[in-house]
Amino acid sequence: MRHEKIIDPDDRTAIHGLLGTIKKAWESNNAKLLTTAFANDAVFVTFNGLRLCGHAQILEFHEKPFATLFRGSRLEMEIFDVRRLSEKLFMAASTGGPIPAGEHKRTGEMETYIIRHENKRWEILLFQNTPVLDERHHG
């Protein structure tokens, strides 16, 4: 399933680092840290199709679950595709999902990111999260 187009190794490292910020935010249950990975006007589409626009909505959506349901959870993420879309835009795709505290199994998810590199800053412009259903759910 790995399909990484040839891109500059420094760009790949920066993208992996940016997405690593999201993992660190989950591990520390830090919604503010999570929002630092996103552009001020980012769009974040949740697992259930809710569309969040901008830092304030992304922060608000994550604060309560990080303090309750996902307290002590961790995020599994395997980046399997990174592509350059233009001089400043990249697409990354990963599989993974949250693993609640005390559990070892996660719900499978597929994530897609559109990432911008501009003015020496890497930031996520768009995040789309989709649960992976088993085959019996596919008509």
Side-chain angles (χ1 to χ4, degrees):
M1 187 150 100
R2 185 164 291 286
H3 184 292
E4 293 205 12
K5 296 283 187 182
I6 297 173
I7 66 169
D8 183 276
D10 291 338
D11 291 339
R12 182 183 319 283
T13 298
I15 289 166
H16 281 254
L18 177 67
L19 299 182
T21 299
I22 294 171
K23 284 185 72 168
K24 289 177 191 169
W26 272 85
E27 291 168 3
S28 61
N29 300 121
N30 187 335
K32 287 182 182 177
L33 177 60
L34 181 93
T35 62
T36 66
F38 291 86
N40 289 333
D41 60 345
V43 174
F44 187 113
V45 182
T46 67
F47 66 95
N48 61 357
L50 183 62
R51 183 180 167 94
L52 309 173
C53 296
H55 278 180
Q57 288 184 1
I58 295 168
L59 178 65
E60 182 181 355
F61 180 82
H62 287 89
E63 281 182 318
K64 185 176 180 183
F66 276 2
T68 58
L69 179 65
F70 286 115
R71 186 111 194 113
S73 66
R74 62 188 174 87
L75 184 67
E76 190 173 87
M77 179 191 300
E78 180 184 343
I79 302 166
F80 67 88
D81 191 357
V82 178
R83 301 177 189 209
R84 177 183 289 278
L85 302 176
S86 71
E87 183 181 336
K88 298 178 182 180
L89 295 176
F90 298 80
M91 187 277 302
S94 65
T95 60
I99 301 173
E103 294 188 24
H104 303 287
K105 190 176 179 182
R106 66 169 168 79
T107 301
E109 297 177 359
M110 182 72 61
E111 302 92 13
T112 304
Y113 306 82
I114 301 298
I115 298 167
R116 176 174 55 203
H117 181 218
E118 189 169 56
N119 299 324
K120 299 182 181 181
R121 175 165 160 69
W122 289 88
E123 57 190 4
I124 300 166
L125 294 175
L126 172 71
F127 170 77
Q128 168 74 48
N129 185 10
T130 305
V132 176
L133 303 175
D134 63 37
E135 289 191 30
R136 68 175 176 244
H137 290 95
H138 299 260

